[in-house]
C-alpha cells in the first residue's frame, strides 16, 4: 500500500530541541554520542556554534535543519512549538467488537477531560453480535456509530473511521483503553512538525479488577508499554514500532491507512511504511493512556499467540527489519565507553553540517 510523501517543509520557527540526558558530548563538544542504535554525530563548525549549549531554538533554515537532524538521530528531544491542530481538529476512532461496557468507560474518560469533552468520536462496530448494546453505549457517550455487518478486523475498522473523519488529525483508541487527562494536549503540539505522521503516548496498565500473576507481569513488561524515554520510531532502532491501541496521526499522511489484509501487526507495518516514505514517527511518554491488560493466564497466552502470528506477514513485506538486533541507547558501563571510543575512530560516524 503506497503512502503520500511528506511535504518539503522545515520545522517552524520557535520549535526547539534539547540534548537528551543520555547523550554525551565528546571531543570538546565537537561530537555527540547517543541515540539507538548508538551513533556518533560530528558537528561541523557552524553546527557547533548553533548548538553551543544543550538547547537549540529554530530561527531559520539552518537551525531547522540541524534541529531535525539531531532529533531524528535520537540525540535530542523536541520542545514543540508552532501551528498545530487543536482538539477541535481531532476525530477519535474507536474500533470494537462486543465490548459495550469498555466503550462506555472509554467515552466517559474522554468526556471528563476538558480537551476531549466535545471531540467527535466514531465508534466502528466491527460485526458485534449485540449491536444494540454497542449503539446504546456510544449514544450515551455522545459518539457516532459506523457498522460492519461482519467482522473485517481491527485494521479495516480503523480505516472505516479514518475515511469518515474530516479533521486534520485522527486519534485511534482501542475500546480497552482509558486515556488520562491531558493526553491529547500533550501529543497535539508535535503535529507542528509538518513531516510528522504519528505520535503515540505511553500505554500503561489499567488497575485490574481481579489481579493475578499475569497482572504483575503485564504491568512491568507489557509489549504495549514502550518505556519511559521519548524518541523517534523507526525500524532497526530501540523504538522500532508503536502499538495501535493509542495513536495520534496526521490524516493526510496515512493515505488509505492500515493494511486491512493484516489482522495482527498492522500497526508495525504502518509505522515501517511511513518511515520508508520519509515521514517522521515519534513516541511521547509524557502522554499516558491506560490499557486493560489480560489478567487471566488463558487470555494472556491467547493474546501472545496472536501477536506471534504477525511475524510472517511482516517478513513478507519488510524482510530483515522483522528481527533487528537492538543495542540500548545508553549505558554507563565500560563496554559502552569502549564502543564509544571505537566509534570515534570509525569512518561510520556522521558529519552534521
Amino acid at each position: 500500500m503506497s503512502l503520500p510523501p511528506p511535504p518539503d517543509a522545515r520545522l517552524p520557527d520557535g520549535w526547539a530541541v534539547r540534548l537528551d540526558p543520555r547523550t554525551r558530548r565528546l571531543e570538546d563538544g565537537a561530537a555527540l554520542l547517543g541515540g539507538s542504535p548508538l551513533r556518533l554525530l560530528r558537528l561541523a563548525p557552524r553546527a557547533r556554534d548553533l548548538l553551543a549549549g544543550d538547547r537549540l531554538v529554530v530561527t531559520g533554515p539552518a537551525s531547522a535543519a540541524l534541529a531535525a537532524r539531531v532529533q531524528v538521530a535520537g540525540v535530542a528531544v523536541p520542545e514543540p512549538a508552532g501551528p498545530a491542530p487543536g482538539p477541535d481538529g481531532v476525530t477519535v476512532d474507536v474500533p470494537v467488537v462486543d465490548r459495550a461496557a469498555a466503550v462506555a468507560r472509554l467515552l466517559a474518560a474522554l468526556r471528563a477531560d476538558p480537551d476531549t469533552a466535545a471531540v467527535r468520536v466514531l465508534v466502528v462496530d466491527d460485526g458485534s453480535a449485540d449491536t444494540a448494546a454497542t449503539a446504546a453505549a456510544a449514544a450515551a457517550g455522545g459518539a457516532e456509530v459506523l457498522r460492519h455487518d461482519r467482522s473485517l478486523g481491527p485494521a479495516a475498522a480503523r480505516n472505516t473511521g479514518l475515511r469518515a473523519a474530516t479533521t486534520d488529525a485522527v486519534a485511534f483508541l482501542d475500546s480497552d483503553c482509558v486515556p488520562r487527562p491531558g493526553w491529547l494536549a500533550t501529543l497535539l503540539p508535535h503535529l507542528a512538525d509538518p513531516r510528522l505522521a504519528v505520535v503515540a503516548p505511553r500505554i500503561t496498565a489499567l488497575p485490574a479488577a481481579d489481579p493475578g500473576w499475569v497482572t504483575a507481569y503485564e504491568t512491568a513488561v507489557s509489549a504495549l508499554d514502550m518505556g519511559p524515554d521519548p524518541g523517534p520510531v523507526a525500524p532497526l532502532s530501540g523504538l522500532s514500532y508503536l502499538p495501535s491501541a493509542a495513536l495520534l496521526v496526521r490524516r493526510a499522511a496515512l493515505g488509505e491507512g492500515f493494511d486491512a489484509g493484516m489482522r495482527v501487526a498492522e500497526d508495525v507495518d504502518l509505522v515501517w511504511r511511513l518511515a520508508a516514505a520519509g515521514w517522521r514517527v515519534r513516541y511521547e511518554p509524557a502522554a499516558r493512556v491506560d490499557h486493560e491488560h489480560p489478567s487471566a493466564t488463558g487470555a494472556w497466552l491467547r493474546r501472545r499467540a496472536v501477536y506471534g502470528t504477525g511475524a510472517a506477514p511482516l517478513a513478507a513485506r519488510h524482510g530483515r527489519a522483522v528481527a533487528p538486533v537492538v543495542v540500548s541507547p545508553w549505558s554507563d558501563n565500560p563496554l559502552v565507553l569502549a564502543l564509544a571510543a571505537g566509534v570515534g575512530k570509525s569512518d561510520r560516524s556522521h558529519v552534521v553540517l
Side-chain angles (χ1 to χ4, degrees):
M1 297 175 65
S2 62
L3 293 169
D8 184 15
R10 66 172 178 85
L11 293 172
D13 288 353
W15 186 282
V17 294
R18 186 181 297 276
L19 290 185
D20 189 294
R22 297 165 294 175
T23 297
R24 298 295 188 266
R25 281 189 178 272
L26 302 175
E27 301 175 11
D28 294 325
L32 303 174
L33 177 71
S36 176
L38 189 70
R39 70 192 73 195
L40 186 72
L41 299 182
R42 296 187 184 279
L43 302 178
R46 187 182 184 193
R48 187 175 179 181
D49 290 342
L50 287 170
L51 195 56
D54 289 341
R55 186 171 183 267
L56 168 67
V57 179
V58 173
T59 57
S63 54
L66 178 58
R69 180 69 183 90
V70 295
Q71 178 180 304
V72 170
V75 299
V77 294
E79 297 177 359
D88 58 349
V90 179
T91 301
V92 176
D93 183 346
V94 182
V96 67
V97 179
D98 285 320
R99 293 179 60 91
V103 170
R105 180 181 61 192
L106 168 59
L107 292 174
L110 290 173
R111 300 313 183 198
D113 185 343
D115 294 324
T116 55
V119 74
R120 185 189 184 198
V121 181
L122 302 175
V123 173
V124 184
D125 184 340
D126 188 37
S128 292
D130 190 348
T131 59
T134 303
E144 305 168 40
V145 177
L146 306 174
R147 175 166 167 74
H148 294 167
D149 291 334
R150 60 184 179 84
S151 179
L152 301 177
R158 293 188 191 99
N159 290 347
T160 294
L162 183 67
R163 287 191 297 269
T166 58
T167 50
D168 291 339
V170 174
F172 296 109
L173 288 175
D174 282 359
S175 60
D176 48 7
C177 287
V178 179
R180 296 190 188 184
W183 68 282
L184 186 60
T186 301
L187 296 178
L188 278 172
H190 286 275
L191 292 179
D193 177 354
R195 297 179 65 92
L196 185 82
V198 177
V199 58
R202 185 176 186 182
I203 298 178
T204 47
L206 189 69
D210 185 20
W213 76 267
V214 172
T215 304
Y217 178 87
E218 283 289 296
T219 299
V221 292
S222 169
L224 302 181
D225 186 351
M226 307 308 291
D229 299 315
V233 182
L236 302 173
S237 73
L239 283 167
S240 60
Y241 72 94
L242 293 171
S244 55
L247 298 173
L248 179 67
V249 308
R250 187 185 305 276
R251 186 169 60 91
L254 262 64
E256 297 179 9
F258 296 89
D259 185 339
M262 301 181 71
R263 287 187 172 248
V264 66
E266 75 283 355
D267 41 14
V268 183
D269 171 71
L270 177 66
V271 166
W272 291 357
R273 286 191 290 118
L274 286 165
W279 289 95
R280 292 196 272 261
V281 179
R282 188 144 195 97
Y283 172 60
E284 179 47 86
R288 296 287 189 95
V289 170
D290 291 333
H291 180 270
E292 183 180 349
H293 296 330
S295 57
T297 302
W300 178 78
L301 289 172
R302 285 191 296 273
R303 178 168 289 189
R304 287 285 171 165
V306 169
Y307 286 165
T309 64
L314 283 175
R317 291 164 171 79
H318 303 283
R320 63 184 290 270
V322 174
V325 177
V326 177
V327 178
S328 176
W330 182 254
S331 170
D332 286 328
N333 64 44
L335 173 60
V336 170
L337 295 178
L339 287 172
V343 170
K345 299 173 183 177
S346 157
D347 60 1
R348 290 177 294 173
S349 60
H350 303 274
V351 177
V352 178
L353 300 178

